[in-house]
Amino acid sequence: MRKVKIISMLLSMAILLSACGGVTSSKVEKEPTNKNAVFKEERGIFPLEEGDLTQLLVYEDTLYVEQYIYNYENLQARTEIVVDEVVSEDVTTNDIMEEYIPEDTMVSLRKITGFDANGNVKSQFESAMGNNCGAGGFGVDKEGNIYSIIYQYATYEGDDNKDKIYLKAYAADGTEKWSIYLNENLPEGEYFHTSSIYCSENNQIVLDSSRGIEIYDNQGNTVKLIEKQNGNDCRLFKIRDNKFAVISSDGSSASIQTLDLQSGILGEKVALPFNYYRYQVNSGKAQDIYLSDEYGVYGYNIGDVEVTKVMDYIASDLSSSYLYQTAFMDENTFFAYYYEDGPVLAKYTKVPPEQVVDKTELTVGCYYLDNRVKQKLVAFNKENQEYRLNIRDYSSYDTMDDYTQGLTRLNTDIVSGNVPDILLINNQMPFESYAAKGVFADLNSFLEKDTEVKKEVFLPNVLRALSSDDGLYRIAPSFSITTFAAKKKDVGQ
């Protein structure tokens, strides 16, 4: 076997690579930067109130952002609606009452704002929600009308104590146009729920519910009901060219079918060539669907043999652990939100490949990546002008049928000499076996040459515990001691 020297570590990337007197790249297969997957992030361009972000939707050239604002004083100044009656059969969301919202009532303001790509406000919609009310997504048509699912939860007072679910239509200014009581005639004991709502190109409302795919015209009249196949977890998505598709999963595999709204006919099932449960799945724009995980955003078109990476977080110097609800305006521009001491809404614009700076690239292998290490890695890439660290996460090779395939692939790579430059060890990896094969570099030589980090900064007993007979092959960023206390009469001295 060809011996390839790599560094195994649990140490912060910044400490090891920025302070250890240079790094020698091993002659192995690299994980090169995908220059076609680099995006620039712009934060703070959308003037949002403080509150929860719940949905992003792009229609033509407008980004619609749904928020829930939880602020009693703010709400009381803006509306006098009695929120317990906001969504009822007799009181609409625009009825103005003469009573203030009680201070002990849990209330929120649902706000949907339309922005252009540069953060300028184009439209605003507001509606007060009570502690027994909720919303289940929205869609927008060509005229800017908003269609939404509204829940009125049972208070268990009186005879009628069931949850009520409505499909409501609003003008762009928030005026309610019509309302449908979706579960009014539901048979006793049957459960009804909705999962998504869209608008079609001809202004029809397409609702994904437990009954199937329900289609209504823009006046609220039923057009048709397309029943789903039994026994499958089915979800409706809007794909490129304003078409629709259904993804079905039985827990071990998943497939996708196109859906013709006019005929109600589902197309041939196509098996998805990826682990469906690994990703957050969003509707498409330039591609049929978009997927996101902890490393990037991917595109998939029906019939493709694999997904295509659209955005690489590491290559784009994004330290976020996850992007939620990606909404594409075109193939070069999309919007998403993530959490960093609260929700952050950002715009992402593709960087031309020729503008991506070339650096010496090193591959960091892992089996799942701790987000704290990821943040150190991104910080290193931002600061260092000579080296760039790329990730090869072997857990991405796991499938729905075999959740150990990633570790098998890592073991195969080590035996064949195709190993990363740096390996992050976890307790699922047979470290001693790897070390016995002689594939790790002795970290003593790095510490001896380093001008900033010396052995003396580490506790000697910890280094001894991490050392093998012939060298130091791993360093841990921290350690803990488990202590047991007992009476002497029970355990002796």
Side-chain angles (χ1 to χ4, degrees):
M1 179 188 71
R2 179 171 60 93
K3 292 185 178 181
V4 182
K5 298 298 183 181
I6 63 175
I7 302 169
S8 68
M9 60 174 242
L10 289 174
L11 184 64
S12 155
M13 304 294 261
I15 293 176
L16 181 63
L17 294 178
S18 64
C20 282
V23 179
T24 301
S25 175
S26 50
K27 296 179 180 180
V28 296
E29 179 184 328
K30 295 296 181 183
E31 203 75 22
T33 297
N34 184 349
K35 292 187 176 183
N36 288 311
V38 179
F39 279 71
K40 179 184 72 173
E41 180 186 59
E42 294 178 80
R43 299 169 49 165
I45 67 173
F46 299 100
L48 298 174
E49 292 190 61
E50 184 177 347
D52 289 344
L53 280 173
T54 50
Q55 184 179 345
L56 306 181
L57 184 152
V58 169
Y59 190 87
E60 295 182 343
D61 61 350
T62 303
L63 168 67
Y64 292 89
V65 180
E66 180 185 49
Q67 280 188 285
Y68 282 85
I69 315 300
Y70 301 96
N71 184 312
Y72 167 72
E73 293 181 357
N74 194 346
L75 293 178
Q76 181 170 292
R78 292 160 69 163
T79 179
E80 296 179 355
I81 296 175
V82 178
V83 294
D84 282 313
E85 297 178 356
V86 165
V87 186
S88 70
E89 295 176 346
D90 302 318
V91 181
T92 71
T93 55
N94 296 285
D95 288 332
I96 304 300
M97 313 300 288
E98 294 182 353
E99 296 181 45
Y100 283 105
I101 301 169
E103 289 190 12
D104 59 353
T105 301
M106 178 65 177
V107 296
S108 65
L109 184 73
R110 185 189 187 205
K111 184 175 179 181
I112 300 175
T113 308
F115 297 98
D116 67 17
N118 297 314
N120 300 305
V121 176
K122 299 177 67 175
S123 64
Q124 281 192 339
F125 164 92
E126 293 183 355
S127 115
M129 307 296 288
N131 60 351
N132 65 329
C133 301
F138 70 95
V140 180
D141 69 12
K142 293 178 180 179
E143 282 73 47
N145 298 309
I146 294 174
Y147 303 89
S148 184
I149 301 300
I150 301 293
Y151 297 91
Q152 181 183 1
Y153 301 111
T155 58
Y156 300 100
E157 297 176 358
D159 296 329
D160 186 8
N161 63 350
K162 73 173 184 178
D163 297 341
K164 297 178 181 179
I165 304 176
Y166 298 88
L167 171 59
K168 289 180 175 281
Y170 304 90
D173 63 1
T175 303
E176 187 174 308
K177 301 177 71 173
W178 51 259
S179 176
I180 300 172
Y181 184 4
L182 290 172
N183 61 330
E184 181 175 17
N185 299 314
L186 196 68
E188 187 70 25
E190 186 173 322
Y191 177 69
F192 177 80
H193 70 273
T194 62
S195 57
S196 58
I197 181 171
Y198 302 96
C199 290
S200 70
E201 198 171 18
N202 58 355
N203 280 3
Q204 290 182 328
I205 301 98
V206 186
L207 177 64
D208 188 359
S209 81
S210 54
R211 282 193 290 249
I213 309 299
E214 303 182 33
I215 303 176
Y216 300 87
D217 65 20
N218 60 3
Q219 300 303 312
N221 301 304
T222 301
V223 176
K224 65 165 57 76
L225 171 66
I226 304 170
E227 294 186 359
K228 294 180 180 178
Q229 298 179 359
N230 293 328
N232 284 332
D233 173 22
C234 300
R235 289 181 60 194
L236 178 69
F237 292 92
K238 195 172 186 179
I239 60 176
R240 57 180 170 163
D241 300 327
N242 289 308
K243 296 180 180 179
F244 290 85
V246 173
I247 293 180
S248 306
S249 173
D250 59 10
S252 60
S253 62
S255 60
I256 188 168
Q257 299 168 271
T258 57
L259 171 63
D260 187 307
L261 294 185
Q262 185 171 356
S263 66
I265 296 175
L266 287 164
E268 182 181 354
K269 279 190 175 183
V270 177
L272 293 177
F274 54 85
N275 186 344
Y276 174 61
Y277 292 107
R278 178 184 173 88
Y279 300 97
Q280 168 89 28
V281 184
N282 293 299
S283 290
K285 186 72 171 183
Q287 302 198 48
D288 285 335
I289 56 174
Y290 291 104
L291 320 169
S292 57
D293 66 4
E294 64 269 40
Y295 296 115
V297 178
Y298 311 80
Y300 171 77
N301 293 319
I302 297 174
D304 287 352
V305 296
E306 61 182 3
V307 299
T308 300
K309 181 169 277 190
V310 175
M311 176 194 184
D312 186 307
Y313 296 166
I314 301 297
S316 302
D317 293 334
L318 181 68
S319 60
S320 170
S321 60
Y322 216 90
L323 290 185
Y324 297 87
Q325 193 84 65
T326 57
F328 277 75
M329 189 163 283
D330 53 50
E331 63 181 347
N332 296 318
T333 307
F334 74 94
F335 311 91
Y337 70 90
Y338 58 92
Y339 288 91
E340 186 182 271
D341 299 325
V344 176
L345 175 61
K347 174 184 177 181
Y348 298 90
T349 306
K350 188 170 184 178
V351 177
E354 63 274 13
Q355 294 182 14
V356 178
V357 177
D358 288 320
K359 297 181 182 180
T360 299
E361 299 187 353
L362 301 172
T363 299
V364 178
C366 62
Y367 188 71
Y368 293 105
L369 180 65
D370 186 290
N371 192 53
R372 294 167 299 178
V373 177
K374 179 182 177 182
Q375 291 175 350
K376 293 286 188 181
L377 186 151
V378 170
F380 175 86
N381 284 344
K382 286 181 177 180
E383 297 169 5
N384 196 284
Q385 302 303 309
E386 185 177 358
Y387 294 101
R388 170 168 288 279
L389 303 175
N390 296 320
I391 289 292
R392 184 189 299 170
D393 185 350
Y394 283 88
S395 70
S396 64
Y397 297 109
D398 291 345
T399 67
M400 296 173 70
D401 297 322
D402 184 1
Y403 284 90
T404 64
Q405 190 166 315
L407 287 174
T408 302
R409 171 68 179 266
L410 172 59
N411 292 332
T412 301
D413 281 355
I414 288 178
V415 169
S416 65
N418 177 30
V419 286
D421 298 287
I422 300 168
L423 185 62
L424 302 180
I425 298 293
N426 65 20
N427 58 10
Q428 293 174 281
M429 298 179 188
F431 168 77
E432 299 298 340
S433 174
Y434 295 165
K437 290 180 171 63
V439 297
F440 294 137
D442 187 349
L443 298 182
N444 284 309
S445 61
F446 289 87
L447 291 171
E448 290 167 1
K449 295 176 183 177
D450 194 87
T451 58
E452 298 177 33
V453 178
K454 297 293 184 181
K455 269 191 174 183
E456 288 73 21
V457 304
F458 300 98
L459 293 176
N461 55 331
V462 175
L463 285 185
R464 284 196 299 271
L466 293 172
S467 297
S468 301
D469 293 338
D470 56 347
L472 177 65
Y473 299 129
R474 54 184 171 174
I475 295 180
S478 62
F479 67 91
S480 61
I481 300 173
T482 301
T483 303
F484 294 92
K487 293 181 179 179
K488 285 185 179 180
K489 67 182 182 63
D490 294 327
V491 297
Q493 297 298 323

